[in-house]
Amino acid sequence: MPESAKLNCGDVELDLPVIEGTENEKALDVSQLRRETGLITLDEGYVNTGSTRSAITFLNGEQGILRYRGYAIEDLAQNCDFVEVCYLLIYGDLPNGEQLAEFRSAIHSHTMLHEDMRMFYDGFPRDAHPMAILSSVVSAMSTFYQDALDPANPEHVEICIHRLIAKLPTIAAYSYKKSIGQPFIYPENDLTYCENFLRMMFAVPCEPYEIDPDFVTALNMLLIVHADHEQNCSTSTVRMVGSSNANLFASIAAGVCALWGPLHGGANEAVVNMLTQIMEDDGDVEKYVAMAKDKEHGFRLMGFGHRVYKNFDPRARIIKAACDRLLDKMNIDDPLFHIAQQLEEVALRDEYFVSRKLYPNVDFYSGVIYRAIGIPVPMFTVLFAMGRLPGWIAHWKEMHASKNKRICRPRQVYTGENIREFVELSDR
Ligand code: SDX
C-alpha cells in the first residue's frame, strides 16, 4: 500500500499520496487538493514546495551533496571539460568520444554572431551592465533565427541549443570589448571553449595573445560547478517562461534576468564589492559580521547562506581550493582572498551564523578567481550565466518532454478589498 498522509479539514478527510524519489526524498502530492477540498496550499518563496519531478541534478543540503545526472560534482570538476558537462546535463549521459566530437563540431559551427547583431552593441551605452546586454542579445536571437523556434520541433530545439552554447561566450566577450572601447575579437574554432572565450575577452588585433593554461583550468572548473542547481530561482524562471511554449531564446533570456539579482547569481559581484568595502574599511571584518547580524542594518553577508545547503556548499569548497592553487601559482597575494577567509572564520564560529546554518556558498570565493584571471567585476554574473546555460537548457527540455507538462500558473490567497460600489470621478 503506497504511503499517504491524512488531511482533515472541516468535514473533509483526504488521503494525500506520498511520492518518493530515487534518493528517498518524499513529497505530498497535492494535485487533487483543490478539487477534493476547495483548499489550496500557500508557501511564500516555495520553501516547502516542489514544482516538478526532475532527473537532472540531485542536491542534499544537509550533507552538502551535488550530483549532475548521478555524477558527483567533485568528479566532474576534476575530470571533465565544460562542453562534456553540457552534453551530460542536456542529453543525460557522459558522451563517448564520437558523441563529444560531434557535439563540439556542432557548437563550433555557430560561434559567430550575425554581423547585424553587432549593431546592438553600438546602441548600448558604454557603461551598460553586461547582464542587460546579455539578456537583450539572447532575446534578440529569436529575431535572427526565426527559422527554428518551435519548441515542439526536435530539430529546431537542437539547433537552438547549439546556437546558445556557441554564442554566449561571443555575446559576453563582445559586451566587455564594448565597455572598454576595444575592437571585437572574432571566435577561433580551433581553440577550446574556455580558450576561445579568454582570447575573445583579452586579445587585441595588434599583438599575439598567449592563453594561460592555468586560467583555462580555473575557468573550466568554474563553468562546471555553476552548470546546474536543480530548481533555483533562474532555472524555475526558465521553466515557468518555457511552460507557455515561448521559444528557447526567450526562456533563457528570462533566466538571465532572474540570475542578475544580488540574492541569486548577482551575489558574486556583490561579494567582491562587499570584500572591497571591508578592505577599504581597514579590513574590519568583525564590524561587518556584526552588521550582518543586526536586522536593523539590512546588511547581508553576500556569498553566505543558501536556501538548500545547510552545510558547506560543495562548490564553495572546490572553488576555495582552486583559488588557493591559482593565487599561489601566480604568486598573487590578493587582500580580498585574505579578507574572505577571515570573514569565513569569524562567521563560522558565530552563533548567529551557526544556528542559522549559514555557510559560504558558490558565490563567496568565485569572484577572487575571476579577479585573478582579469575578469572585470560587472562580468562575474555573466560568467555565472555562461556556466548555468546547459542546466537551464536541460530543465527546459525536461519540462517539454514531461507527460505532465502544462502552463505554470500558481494560485493565490486574495487579501484585498471586498466588493465596493463604483464611485464616479465627480463624486470622489
Ligand atoms: C545562489 O537556489 C540556488 O541553488 C541558488 C544558487 C544556484 O546555484 O543557483 O546556489 C546560487 O543564488 C547562491 C546564493 C547567493 N546569494 C547570496 O549569497 C546573498 C546572501 N544570501 C542570502 O540573501 C540568503 O541566504 C539566500 C537568499 C541565499 C537564501 O535566502 P532564504 O533561504 O530565503 O533564507 P532567509 O533569507 O529566510 O534567511 C534565513 C535567516 C534569516 O534570519 P532570521 O529571519 O531567521 O533571523 O538567515 C538570515 C536571514 O536574515 N540570513 C542571513 C544571510 N542569509 C540568510 N543573515 C546575514 N547574511 C546572510 N547572507
Side-chain angles (χ1 to χ4, degrees), residues 229 263-264 295 300-301 303-304 306-307 315 352 388:
H229 218 237
L263 293 186
H264 189 17
K295 296 289 180 218
R300 286 204 158 185
L301 224 45
F304 254 78
H306 199 277
R307 174 62 58 80
R315 302 168 296 176
Y352 173 93
R388 187 51 52 87

Side-chain angles (χ1 to χ4, degrees), residues 185-340:
I185 300 295
Y186 283 98
E188 254 186 32
N189 290 336
D190 57 351
L191 298 175
T192 67
Y193 198 82
C194 291
E195 288 172 345
N196 202 14
F197 175 68
L198 289 170
R199 186 181 161 279
M200 291 190 286
M201 281 285 288
F202 300 120
V204 288
C206 42
E207 56 192 48
Y209 172 71
E210 191 183 334
I211 295 167
D212 185 321
D214 293 328
F215 290 2
V216 173
T217 302
L219 180 58
N220 183 64
M221 175 278 297
L222 283 169
L223 292 178
I224 289 174
V225 299
H226 284 86
D228 192 49
H229 218 237
E230 56 136 273
Q231 304 307 319
N232 60 85
C233 176
S234 54
T235 301
S236 299
T237 300
V238 170
R239 281 177 169 262
M240 171 77 79
V241 171
S243 75
S244 73
N245 286 353
N247 66 67
L248 183 54
F249 298 129
S251 305
I252 298 299
V256 171
C257 293
L259 187 73
W260 193 2
L263 293 186
H264 189 17
N268 56 15
E269 180 178 349
V271 166
V272 166
N273 293 336
M274 173 189 72
L275 295 174
T276 305
Q277 185 184 350
I278 296 172
M279 179 180 68
E280 289 164 355
D281 196 353
D282 295 333
D284 188 347
V285 167
E286 304 280 350
K287 170 182 170 186
Y288 287 84
V289 169
M291 278 162 56
K293 293 160 60 179
D294 172 7
K295 296 289 180 218
E296 297 310 309
H297 217 283
F299 171 79
R300 286 204 158 185
L301 224 45
M302 303 313 279
F304 254 78
H306 199 277
R307 174 62 58 80
V308 176
Y309 289 124
K310 301 309 172 191
N311 193 327
F312 238 91
D313 183 333
R315 302 168 296 176
R317 285 189 199 280
I318 294 169
I319 294 171
K320 182 179 178 182
C323 224
D324 242 339
R325 285 194 303 275
L326 183 66
L327 296 185
D328 189 41
K329 193 144 191 211
M330 294 175 65
N331 200 20
I332 292 179
D333 185 23
D334 186 347
L336 297 193
F337 188 45
H338 296 305
I339 288 175

